[in-house]
Amino acid sequence: MRRFGTSILYAALALLALAMVYDDMHINLLGFYVNYDLDYTQYYMNTSGRNLDFEEESSEELSEETSKESSKKSSEVSVEESANGKKKEVCFVNSSFGKSKDELDKSLDVTSMHDEKVGFFFFTNVKDLKTPGWEKIVLELPYKRFITQSRWAKFMAWKDPTIAKSCKAVFYFDVSDSPKLTTEQYISAAKKCRSSEFGLTQAKHMAGSITQEFKNILNAHKDIQKNVDASMKWFKKQPDYKDEVKSFRNDQILYDPENVHFQKAAEFFWERYSLELDSWRDQPLWWYTLHHFNIIPQNLERLGFNYDFKRMGHGGHKYGEDNANDALVAKKVI
């Protein structure tokens, strides 16, 4: 009987390994969905099915919204409605900055997702980067790191004039992510975010402490030791620094661009991060920022995205000394 049980265990492990190989580390077995985060080698276990944090609106709300829609949806992304006083219920934001289109993350084609209530904006410094279905916003930002430039779109896009006039809510997600829910579910989540105290929605992270996150970062070759040391030196000088803080995933951030709590936190974060004096990873500093302002994001229990690592550029997002001033070097070369 014991041998039989062992055989069953080995068989299950073999199936698990096979699924990991053939489904880009996304595993669907026996009613469970396991989202494997390659960056930090952690497992996020979710039961398969609909995302409770992206609940459908009631039939009454949906019928009211539907009655306001025109019978014909726009075939391309435009901000014309904004000029007429109508903002998108939610705007998806992506960003990718670098020396050339060949090294950047490859954007998802969102043409099939177009909806008159949803906007799609892609920030980049590369004019010839293909961004099918997105309205491309080309910026030349004054930072020496391309990583810093890409983070501007994550935390400060709400200051861009196009975003300010176009979006009721902003949903940033990494370029390698792919939305998997319905438009109405994302709109519902955006409305809940805007009605919350802090105007911020994020999924929980499993690190649990800033020092543990930095260990994970170094193990995954996402930063270099001197940057991490500089960050920790600064953190320890802060009177309210606490290592074990509430931690959240920054690959997807939903926020209300008009919420004053979020604005103050984002500006505080950016004031330090944009100095480019320490870690280029944003999660530890963002966690400290939320702790500093006593902000607890609305919880995103289950992620509304899948990963597509085949679209990931920048050498799999592994970084070293060459990234310390890569944007500055590239500008001089050009």
Side-chain angles (χ1 to χ4, degrees):
M1 190 69 179
R2 182 177 298 176
R3 290 181 179 177
F4 178 75
T6 302
S7 299
I8 292 295
L9 177 61
Y10 285 152
L13 289 173
L15 284 172
L16 183 62
L18 186 63
M20 290 173 71
V21 170
Y22 283 98
D23 197 23
D24 281 326
M25 309 303 282
H26 290 84
I27 308 152
N28 290 279
L29 290 173
L30 304 177
F32 287 92
Y33 181 82
V34 182
N35 190 3
Y36 184 67
D37 185 358
L38 288 178
D39 285 357
Y40 308 110
T41 60
Q42 296 175 345
Y43 290 96
Y44 297 91
M45 297 288 294
N46 294 323
T47 54
S48 61
R50 65 193 288 262
N51 185 322
L52 297 182
D53 283 277
F54 292 93
E55 292 180 357
E56 295 282 6
E57 296 176 318
S58 66
S59 58
E60 182 179 345
E61 290 175 318
L62 286 176
S63 61
E64 181 181 351
E65 291 295 331
T66 303
S67 65
K68 295 179 181 178
E69 290 184 7
S70 61
S71 59
K72 183 179 180 181
K73 294 184 178 180
S74 173
S75 61
E76 61 182 4
V77 178
S78 173
V79 295
E80 290 180 1
E81 287 191 357
S82 301
N84 297 326
K86 291 183 179 180
K87 289 187 176 183
K88 305 293 186 182
E89 292 294 334
V90 62
C91 294
F92 291 116
V93 168
N94 267 194
S95 69
S96 191
F97 287 72
K99 290 184 292 185
S100 69
K101 64 180 181 180
D102 296 327
E103 73 170 27
L104 299 189
D105 300 321
K106 303 300 183 287
S107 72
L108 175 71
D109 186 344
V110 296
T111 305
S112 63
M113 297 176 60
H114 283 186
D115 187 289
E116 64 180 14
K117 294 183 289 184
V118 180
F120 298 88
F121 298 94
F122 198 107
F123 289 83
T124 184
N125 65 315
V126 179
K127 294 180 181 179
D128 59 347
L129 179 67
K130 294 182 179 179
T131 57
W134 299 83
E135 178 170 330
K136 186 163 56 179
I137 300 177
V138 179
L139 296 178
E140 291 294 334
L141 296 171
Y143 305 111
K144 65 181 182 180
R145 299 170 177 172
F146 283 127
I147 299 172
T148 306
Q149 295 183 22
S150 70
R151 296 305 191 270
W152 189 91
K154 179 186 288 192
F155 294 97
M156 303 301 288
W158 55 277
K159 286 200 167 187
D160 181 84
T162 300
I163 299 299
K165 73 180 181 181
S166 304
C167 311
K168 292 182 180 180
V170 174
F171 208 147
Y172 169 89
F173 62 90
D174 286 352
V175 181
S176 57
D177 295 344
S178 300
K180 66 180 182 180
L181 304 178
T182 66
T183 297
E184 291 300 336
Q185 286 175 306
Y186 288 113
I187 290 175
S188 177
K191 289 181 178 180
K192 289 179 181 179
C193 179
R194 290 172 56 218
S195 67
S196 66
E197 179 181 1
F198 301 116
L200 179 64
T201 303
Q202 291 183 256
K204 290 181 179 179
H205 196 283
M206 296 179 66
S209 74
I210 289 174
T211 53
Q212 181 59 52
E213 175 66 358
F214 274 133
K215 289 179 181 178
N216 295 339
I217 287 169
L218 290 173
N219 288 337
H221 305 289
K222 297 292 185 179
D223 207 336
I224 55 180
Q225 187 67 55
K226 71 175 184 180
N227 287 350
V228 171
D229 292 342
S231 287
M232 288 307 304
K233 183 178 180 179
W234 183 83
F235 279 136
K236 290 178 179 179
K237 289 182 178 179
Q238 309 313 305
D240 62 344
Y241 170 70
K242 181 181 177 182
D243 185 46
E244 294 185 359
V245 294
K246 293 184 182 298
S247 55
F248 302 89
R249 294 175 61 96
N250 283 5
D251 50 346
Q252 295 117 23
I253 301 179
L254 171 61
Y255 64 85
D256 176 359
E258 297 183 356
N259 185 285
V260 293
H261 298 291
F262 170 78
Q263 289 178 349
K264 287 181 180 179
E267 287 178 333
F268 175 88
F269 167 89
W270 195 252
E271 183 178 0
R272 177 64 193 179
Y273 185 83
S274 64
L275 295 177
E276 303 182 299
L277 296 175
D278 33 39
S279 179
W280 46 60
R281 298 297 292 178
D282 55 65
Q283 288 186 157
L285 181 57
W286 184 243
W287 298 350
Y288 168 73
T289 298
L290 297 181
H291 165 70
H292 179 74
F293 287 99
N294 294 312
I295 291 177
I296 300 177
Q298 184 175 255
N299 190 29
L300 208 58
E301 286 284 355
R302 298 170 185 170
L303 304 180
F305 298 83
N306 287 324
Y307 294 111
D308 184 355
F309 296 107
K310 293 188 292 292
R311 296 205 316 273
M312 186 179 290
H314 297 288
H317 286 232
K318 308 294 182 183
Y319 300 103
E321 292 281 355
D322 291 343
N323 300 104
N325 60 349
D326 52 0
L328 186 62
V329 171
K331 191 172 184 180
K332 289 181 178 179
V333 171
I334 294 172

